[in-house]
PDB file of all heavy atoms in Angstrom:
ATOM      1  N   ILE A   1      12.744 -48.206 -48.681  1.00 75.00           N
ATOM      2  CA  ILE A   1      11.427 -48.132 -48.039  1.00 75.00           C
ATOM      3  C   ILE A   1      11.106 -46.716 -47.592  1.00 75.00           C
ATOM      4  O   ILE A   1       9.940 -46.290 -47.631  1.00 75.00           O
ATOM      5  CB  ILE A   1      11.379 -49.128 -46.861  1.00 75.00           C
ATOM      6  CG1 ILE A   1      11.463 -50.554 -47.407  1.00 75.00           C
ATOM      7  CG2 ILE A   1      10.112 -48.950 -46.040  1.00 75.00           C
ATOM      8  CD1 ILE A   1      11.499 -51.620 -46.347  1.00 75.00           C
ATOM      9  N   GLN A   2      12.112 -45.946 -47.168  1.00 69.00           N
ATOM     10  CA  GLN A   2      11.832 -44.587 -46.704  1.00 69.00           C
ATOM     11  C   GLN A   2      11.323 -43.690 -47.832  1.00 69.00           C
ATOM     12  O   GLN A   2      10.673 -42.667 -47.576  1.00 69.00           O
ATOM     13  CB  GLN A   2      13.100 -43.975 -46.093  1.00 69.00           C
ATOM     14  CG  GLN A   2      13.524 -44.595 -44.781  1.00 69.00           C
ATOM     15  CD  GLN A   2      12.620 -44.223 -43.629  1.00 69.00           C
ATOM     16  OE1 GLN A   2      11.733 -43.391 -43.768  1.00 69.00           O
ATOM     17  NE2 GLN A   2      12.815 -44.860 -42.494  1.00 69.00           N
ATOM     18  N   LYS A   3      11.628 -44.065 -49.087  1.00 69.00           N
ATOM     19  CA  LYS A   3      11.168 -43.237 -50.211  1.00 69.00           C
ATOM     20  C   LYS A   3       9.695 -43.448 -50.518  1.00 69.00           C
ATOM     21  O   LYS A   3       9.097 -42.634 -51.227  1.00 69.00           O
ATOM     22  CB  LYS A   3      12.008 -43.555 -51.455  1.00 69.00           C
ATOM     23  CG  LYS A   3      13.473 -43.157 -51.327  1.00 69.00           C
ATOM     24  CD  LYS A   3      14.248 -43.518 -52.579  1.00 69.00           C
ATOM     25  CE  LYS A   3      15.712 -43.131 -52.459  1.00 69.00           C
ATOM     26  NZ  LYS A   3      16.485 -43.487 -53.675  1.00 69.00           N
ATOM     27  N   LYS A   4       9.116 -44.537 -50.029  1.00 68.00           N
ATOM     28  CA  LYS A   4       7.705 -44.799 -50.318  1.00 68.00           C
ATOM     29  C   LYS A   4       6.829 -43.883 -49.483  1.00 68.00           C
ATOM     30  O   LYS A   4       7.102 -43.606 -48.312  1.00 68.00           O
ATOM     31  CB  LYS A   4       7.363 -46.265 -50.039  1.00 68.00           C
ATOM     32  CG  LYS A   4       8.144 -47.244 -50.918  1.00 68.00           C
ATOM     33  CD  LYS A   4       7.666 -48.659 -50.738  1.00 68.00           C
ATOM     34  CE  LYS A   4       6.286 -48.850 -51.353  1.00 68.00           C
ATOM     35  NZ  LYS A   4       6.304 -48.744 -52.829  1.00 68.00           N
ATOM     36  N   GLN A   5       5.759 -43.443 -50.074  1.00 65.00           N
ATOM     37  CA  GLN A   5       4.840 -42.524 -49.425  1.00 65.00           C
ATOM     38  C   GLN A   5       3.693 -43.291 -48.748  1.00 65.00           C
ATOM     39  O   GLN A   5       3.269 -44.343 -49.213  1.00 65.00           O
ATOM     40  CB  GLN A   5       4.253 -41.526 -50.448  1.00 65.00           C
ATOM     41  CG  GLN A   5       5.300 -40.699 -51.168  1.00 65.00           C
ATOM     42  CD  GLN A   5       6.016 -39.751 -50.230  1.00 65.00           C
ATOM     43  OE1 GLN A   5       5.446 -39.273 -49.243  1.00 65.00           O
ATOM     44  NE2 GLN A   5       7.276 -39.477 -50.549  1.00 65.00           N
ATOM     45  N   GLY A   6       3.215 -42.743 -47.651  1.00 64.00           N
ATOM     46  CA  GLY A   6       2.033 -43.299 -46.998  1.00 64.00           C
ATOM     47  C   GLY A   6       2.308 -44.446 -46.050  1.00 64.00           C
ATOM     48  O   GLY A   6       1.359 -45.134 -45.628  1.00 64.00           O
ATOM     49  N   LEU A   7       3.546 -44.695 -45.676  1.00 67.00           N
ATOM     50  CA  LEU A   7       3.849 -45.779 -44.741  1.00 67.00           C
ATOM     51  C   LEU A   7       3.672 -45.287 -43.306  1.00 67.00           C
ATOM     52  O   LEU A   7       4.082 -44.182 -42.950  1.00 67.00           O
ATOM     53  CB  LEU A   7       5.278 -46.275 -44.934  1.00 67.00           C
ATOM     54  CG  LEU A   7       5.590 -46.959 -46.273  1.00 67.00           C
ATOM     55  CD1 LEU A   7       7.041 -47.409 -46.305  1.00 67.00           C
ATOM     56  CD2 LEU A   7       4.666 -48.138 -46.505  1.00 67.00           C
ATOM     57  N   HIS A   8       3.069 -46.150 -42.478  1.00 69.00           N
ATOM     58  CA  HIS A   8       2.854 -45.809 -41.079  1.00 69.00           C
ATOM     59  C   HIS A   8       4.036 -46.213 -40.200  1.00 69.00           C
ATOM     60  O   HIS A   8       4.465 -45.453 -39.329  1.00 69.00           O
ATOM     61  CB  HIS A   8       1.587 -46.486 -40.555  1.00 69.00           C
ATOM     62  CG  HIS A   8       0.353 -46.152 -41.338  1.00 69.00           C
ATOM     63  ND1 HIS A   8      -0.054 -46.886 -42.444  1.00 69.00           N
ATOM     64  CD2 HIS A   8      -0.566 -45.163 -41.200  1.00 69.00           C
ATOM     65  CE1 HIS A   8      -1.162 -46.367 -42.939  1.00 69.00           C
ATOM     66  NE2 HIS A   8      -1.505 -45.323 -42.193  1.00 69.00           N
ATOM     67  N   HIS A   9       4.553 -47.403 -40.423  1.00 69.00           N
ATOM     68  CA  HIS A   9       5.641 -47.936 -39.594  1.00 69.00           C
ATOM     69  C   HIS A   9       6.701 -48.551 -40.516  1.00 69.00           C
ATOM     70  O   HIS A   9       6.746 -49.774 -40.693  1.00 69.00           O
ATOM     71  CB  HIS A   9       5.112 -48.987 -38.616  1.00 69.00           C
ATOM     72  CG  HIS A   9       3.939 -48.518 -37.806  1.00 69.00           C
ATOM     73  ND1 HIS A   9       4.072 -47.654 -36.736  1.00 69.00           N
ATOM     74  CD2 HIS A   9       2.608 -48.780 -37.924  1.00 69.00           C
ATOM     75  CE1 HIS A   9       2.873 -47.410 -36.232  1.00 69.00           C
ATOM     76  NE2 HIS A   9       1.976 -48.083 -36.922  1.00 69.00           N
ATOM     77  N   PRO A  10       7.562 -47.742 -41.116  1.00 73.00           N
ATOM     78  CA  PRO A  10       8.529 -48.275 -42.089  1.00 73.00           C
ATOM     79  C   PRO A  10       9.585 -49.184 -41.458  1.00 73.00           C
ATOM     80  O   PRO A  10      10.229 -49.959 -42.170  1.00 73.00           O
ATOM     81  CB  PRO A  10       9.174 -47.013 -42.674  1.00 73.00           C
ATOM     82  CG  PRO A  10       8.951 -45.953 -41.642  1.00 73.00           C
ATOM     83  CD  PRO A  10       7.654 -46.274 -40.990  1.00 73.00           C
ATOM     84  N   TYR A  11       9.767 -49.098 -40.140  1.00 75.00           N
ATOM     85  CA  TYR A  11      10.794 -49.932 -39.517  1.00 75.00           C
ATOM     86  C   TYR A  11      10.395 -51.403 -39.448  1.00 75.00           C
ATOM     87  O   TYR A  11      11.268 -52.278 -39.332  1.00 75.00           O
ATOM     88  CB  TYR A  11      11.099 -49.421 -38.107  1.00 75.00           C
ATOM     89  CG  TYR A  11       9.930 -49.450 -37.166  1.00 75.00           C
ATOM     90  CD1 TYR A  11       9.659 -50.575 -36.399  1.00 75.00           C
ATOM     91  CD2 TYR A  11       9.087 -48.347 -37.032  1.00 75.00           C
ATOM     92  CE1 TYR A  11       8.579 -50.615 -35.535  1.00 75.00           C
ATOM     93  CE2 TYR A  11       8.008 -48.373 -36.175  1.00 75.00           C
ATOM     94  CZ  TYR A  11       7.755 -49.506 -35.425  1.00 75.00           C
ATOM     95  OH  TYR A  11       6.685 -49.539 -34.581  1.00 75.00           O
ATOM     96  N   VAL A  12       9.086 -51.706 -39.504  1.00 77.00           N
ATOM     97  CA  VAL A  12       8.648 -53.102 -39.398  1.00 77.00           C
ATOM     98  C   VAL A  12       9.139 -53.939 -40.586  1.00 77.00           C
ATOM     99  O   VAL A  12       9.749 -54.999 -40.391  1.00 77.00           O
ATOM    100  CB  VAL A  12       7.113 -53.174 -39.256  1.00 77.00           C
ATOM    101  CG1 VAL A  12       6.648 -54.640 -39.293  1.00 77.00           C
ATOM    102  CG2 VAL A  12       6.678 -52.526 -37.955  1.00 77.00           C
ATOM    103  N   PRO A  13       8.905 -53.518 -41.848  1.00 80.00           N
ATOM    104  CA  PRO A  13       9.460 -54.317 -42.955  1.00 80.00           C
ATOM    105  C   PRO A  13      10.978 -54.371 -42.939  1.00 80.00           C
ATOM    106  O   PRO A  13      11.562 -55.386 -43.340  1.00 80.00           O
ATOM    107  CB  PRO A  13       8.936 -53.610 -44.210  1.00 80.00           C
ATOM    108  CG  PRO A  13       8.504 -52.264 -43.777  1.00 80.00           C
ATOM    109  CD  PRO A  13       8.078 -52.406 -42.365  1.00 80.00           C
ATOM    110  N   ILE A  14      11.637 -53.324 -42.445  1.00 81.00           N
ATOM    111  CA  ILE A  14      13.108 -53.355 -42.371  1.00 81.00           C
ATOM    112  C   ILE A  14      13.558 -54.418 -41.376  1.00 81.00           C
ATOM    113  O   ILE A  14      14.517 -55.162 -41.622  1.00 81.00           O
ATOM    114  CB  ILE A  14      13.647 -51.963 -41.992  1.00 81.00           C
ATOM    115  CG1 ILE A  14      13.339 -50.952 -43.107  1.00 81.00           C
ATOM    116  CG2 ILE A  14      15.144 -52.017 -41.730  1.00 81.00           C
ATOM    117  CD1 ILE A  14      13.749 -49.536 -42.772  1.00 81.00           C
ATOM    118  N   ILE A  15      12.869 -54.512 -40.239  1.00 83.00           N
ATOM    119  CA  ILE A  15      13.221 -55.540 -39.241  1.00 83.00           C
ATOM    120  C   ILE A  15      12.996 -56.940 -39.805  1.00 83.00           C
ATOM    121  O   ILE A  15      13.827 -57.847 -39.628  1.00 83.00           O
ATOM    122  CB  ILE A  15      12.401 -55.322 -37.952  1.00 83.00           C
ATOM    123  CG1 ILE A  15      12.835 -54.028 -37.263  1.00 83.00           C
ATOM    124  CG2 ILE A  15      12.553 -56.511 -37.009  1.00 83.00           C
ATOM    125  CD1 ILE A  15      12.010 -53.681 -36.050  1.00 83.00           C
ATOM    126  N   LEU A  16      11.887 -57.136 -40.509  1.00 85.00           N
ATOM    127  CA  LEU A  16      11.615 -58.448 -41.102  1.00 85.00           C
ATOM    128  C   LEU A  16      12.681 -58.822 -42.138  1.00 85.00           C
ATOM    129  O   LEU A  16      13.139 -59.967 -42.186  1.00 85.00           O
ATOM    130  CB  LEU A  16      10.221 -58.449 -41.739  1.00 85.00           C
ATOM    131  CG  LEU A  16       9.029 -58.334 -40.775  1.00 85.00           C
ATOM    132  CD1 LEU A  16       7.728 -58.299 -41.557  1.00 85.00           C
ATOM    133  CD2 LEU A  16       9.019 -59.502 -39.799  1.00 85.00           C
ATOM    134  N   VAL A  17      13.076 -57.852 -42.938  1.00 84.00           N
ATOM    135  CA  VAL A  17      14.117 -58.108 -43.928  1.00 84.00           C
ATOM    136  C   VAL A  17      15.449 -58.412 -43.240  1.00 84.00           C
ATOM    137  O   VAL A  17      16.206 -59.287 -43.675  1.00 84.00           O
ATOM    138  CB  VAL A  17      14.255 -56.905 -44.879  1.00 84.00           C
ATOM    139  CG1 VAL A  17      15.508 -57.025 -45.729  1.00 84.00           C
ATOM    140  CG2 VAL A  17      13.034 -56.806 -45.776  1.00 84.00           C
ATOM    141  N   GLY A  18      15.743 -57.709 -42.141  1.00 85.00           N
ATOM    142  CA  GLY A  18      16.965 -57.990 -41.394  1.00 85.00           C
ATOM    143  C   GLY A  18      16.989 -59.398 -40.827  1.00 85.00           C
ATOM    144  O   GLY A  18      18.026 -60.076 -40.852  1.00 85.00           O
ATOM    145  N   ILE A  19      15.841 -59.868 -40.332  1.00 87.00           N
ATOM    146  CA  ILE A  19      15.760 -61.241 -39.822  1.00 87.00           C
ATOM    147  C   ILE A  19      15.992 -62.246 -40.949  1.00 87.00           C
ATOM    148  O   ILE A  19      16.732 -63.230 -40.790  1.00 87.00           O
ATOM    149  CB  ILE A  19      14.392 -61.473 -39.148  1.00 87.00           C
ATOM    150  CG1 ILE A  19      14.272 -60.604 -37.895  1.00 87.00           C
ATOM    151  CG2 ILE A  19      14.203 -62.947 -38.798  1.00 87.00           C
ATOM    152  CD1 ILE A  19      12.905 -60.654 -37.248  1.00 87.00           C
ATOM    153  N   PHE A  20      15.381 -62.001 -42.095  1.00 86.00           N
ATOM    154  CA  PHE A  20      15.583 -62.901 -43.236  1.00 86.00           C
ATOM    155  C   PHE A  20      17.043 -62.880 -43.687  1.00 86.00           C
ATOM    156  O   PHE A  20      17.619 -63.937 -44.005  1.00 86.00           O
ATOM    157  CB  PHE A  20      14.669 -62.491 -44.386  1.00 86.00           C
ATOM    158  CG  PHE A  20      14.833 -63.339 -45.620  1.00 86.00           C
ATOM    159  CD1 PHE A  20      14.200 -64.564 -45.725  1.00 86.00           C
ATOM    160  CD2 PHE A  20      15.629 -62.904 -46.675  1.00 86.00           C
ATOM    161  CE1 PHE A  20      14.358 -65.353 -46.853  1.00 86.00           C
ATOM    162  CE2 PHE A  20      15.786 -63.677 -47.809  1.00 86.00           C
ATOM    163  CZ  PHE A  20      15.140 -64.905 -47.895  1.00 86.00           C
ATOM    164  N   ALA A  21      17.654 -61.688 -43.711  1.00 86.00           N
ATOM    165  CA  ALA A  21      19.060 -61.587 -44.126  1.00 86.00           C
ATOM    166  C   ALA A  21      19.955 -62.370 -43.169  1.00 86.00           C
ATOM    167  O   ALA A  21      20.910 -63.033 -43.599  1.00 86.00           O
ATOM    168  CB  ALA A  21      19.491 -60.121 -44.173  1.00 86.00           C
ATOM    169  N   TYR A  22      19.646 -62.320 -41.876  1.00 86.00           N
ATOM    170  CA  TYR A  22      20.447 -63.083 -40.918  1.00 86.00           C
ATOM    171  C   TYR A  22      20.303 -64.582 -41.154  1.00 86.00           C
ATOM    172  O   TYR A  22      21.295 -65.326 -41.088  1.00 86.00           O
ATOM    173  CB  TYR A  22      20.028 -62.739 -39.493  1.00 86.00           C
ATOM    174  CG  TYR A  22      20.727 -63.593 -38.459  1.00 86.00           C
ATOM    175  CD1 TYR A  22      22.027 -63.305 -38.068  1.00 86.00           C
ATOM    176  CD2 TYR A  22      20.095 -64.698 -37.895  1.00 86.00           C
ATOM    177  CE1 TYR A  22      22.683 -64.088 -37.137  1.00 86.00           C
ATOM    178  CE2 TYR A  22      20.744 -65.493 -36.965  1.00 86.00           C
ATOM    179  CZ  TYR A  22      22.036 -65.177 -36.587  1.00 86.00           C
ATOM    180  OH  TYR A  22      22.672 -65.972 -35.674  1.00 86.00           O
ATOM    181  N   LEU A  23      19.081 -65.047 -41.429  1.00 85.00           N
ATOM    182  CA  LEU A  23      18.876 -66.471 -41.675  1.00 85.00           C
ATOM    183  C   LEU A  23      19.629 -66.933 -42.922  1.00 85.00           C
ATOM    184  O   LEU A  23      20.253 -68.005 -42.928  1.00 85.00           O
ATOM    185  CB  LEU A  23      17.375 -66.769 -41.817  1.00 85.00           C
ATOM    186  CG  LEU A  23      16.529 -66.587 -40.556  1.00 85.00           C
ATOM    187  CD1 LEU A  23      15.059 -66.824 -40.860  1.00 85.00           C
ATOM    188  CD2 LEU A  23      16.997 -67.520 -39.449  1.00 85.00           C
ATOM    189  N   VAL A  24      19.591 -66.118 -43.974  1.00 85.00           N
ATOM    190  CA  VAL A  24      20.308 -66.475 -45.198  1.00 85.00           C
ATOM    191  C   VAL A  24      21.813 -66.517 -44.947  1.00 85.00           C
ATOM    192  O   VAL A  24      22.511 -67.471 -45.321  1.00 85.00           O
ATOM    193  CB  VAL A  24      19.976 -65.478 -46.324  1.00 85.00           C
ATOM    194  CG1 VAL A  24      20.852 -65.722 -47.539  1.00 85.00           C
ATOM    195  CG2 VAL A  24      18.505 -65.603 -46.722  1.00 85.00           C
ATOM    196  N   ALA A  25      22.334 -65.465 -44.286  1.00 85.00           N
ATOM    197  CA  ALA A  25      23.769 -65.431 -43.991  1.00 85.00           C
ATOM    198  C   ALA A  25      24.168 -66.583 -43.073  1.00 85.00           C
ATOM    199  O   ALA A  25      25.248 -67.173 -43.234  1.00 85.00           O
ATOM    200  CB  ALA A  25      24.136 -64.087 -43.353  1.00 85.00           C
ATOM    201  N   HIS A  26      23.304 -66.920 -42.113  1.00 85.00           N
ATOM    202  CA  HIS A  26      23.608 -68.019 -41.197  1.00 85.00           C
ATOM    203  C   HIS A  26      23.710 -69.349 -41.951  1.00 85.00           C
ATOM    204  O   HIS A  26      24.596 -70.172 -41.651  1.00 85.00           O
ATOM    205  CB  HIS A  26      22.534 -68.104 -40.121  1.00 85.00           C
ATOM    206  CG  HIS A  26      22.733 -69.232 -39.153  1.00 85.00           C
ATOM    207  ND1 HIS A  26      23.730 -69.223 -38.206  1.00 85.00           N
ATOM    208  CD2 HIS A  26      22.074 -70.418 -39.001  1.00 85.00           C
ATOM    209  CE1 HIS A  26      23.681 -70.345 -37.501  1.00 85.00           C
ATOM    210  NE2 HIS A  26      22.689 -71.085 -37.973  1.00 85.00           N
ATOM    211  N   CYS A  27      22.819 -69.562 -42.911  1.00 83.00           N
ATOM    212  CA  CYS A  27      22.880 -70.801 -43.695  1.00 83.00           C
ATOM    213  C   CYS A  27      24.196 -70.905 -44.450  1.00 83.00           C
ATOM    214  O   CYS A  27      24.858 -71.951 -44.451  1.00 83.00           O
ATOM    215  CB  CYS A  27      21.699 -70.863 -44.663  1.00 83.00           C
ATOM    216  SG  CYS A  27      20.093 -71.120 -43.860  1.00 83.00           S
ATOM    217  N   PHE A  28      24.615 -69.813 -45.097  1.00 83.00           N
ATOM    218  CA  PHE A  28      25.871 -69.828 -45.852  1.00 83.00           C
ATOM    219  C   PHE A  28      27.067 -70.002 -44.918  1.00 83.00           C
ATOM    220  O   PHE A  28      27.971 -70.797 -45.201  1.00 83.00           O
ATOM    221  CB  PHE A  28      26.024 -68.543 -46.662  1.00 83.00           C
ATOM    222  CG  PHE A  28      25.189 -68.504 -47.913  1.00 83.00           C
ATOM    223  CD1 PHE A  28      24.076 -67.690 -48.016  1.00 83.00           C
ATOM    224  CD2 PHE A  28      25.519 -69.293 -48.990  1.00 83.00           C
ATOM    225  CE1 PHE A  28      23.305 -67.662 -49.159  1.00 83.00           C
ATOM    226  CE2 PHE A  28      24.756 -69.268 -50.147  1.00 83.00           C
ATOM    227  CZ  PHE A  28      23.647 -68.451 -50.230  1.00 83.00           C
TER     228      PHE A  28
END
């Protein structure tokens, strides 16, 4: 995500992906 140009708040999609990763790992 940091390589993409024109992002205002790149940490927001990273946080959302982290939440999804936790849910997936929790299920397994």
Side-chain angles (χ1 to χ4, degrees):
I1 294 177
Q2 291 288 353
K3 294 179 180 180
K4 298 187 71 68
Q5 301 293 329
L7 294 181
H8 303 89
H9 308 284
Y11 61 89
V12 174
I14 295 176
I15 292 175
L16 293 178
V17 168
I19 294 174
F20 178 82
Y22 175 80
L23 293 176
V24 172
H26 178 72
C27 290
F28 283 108

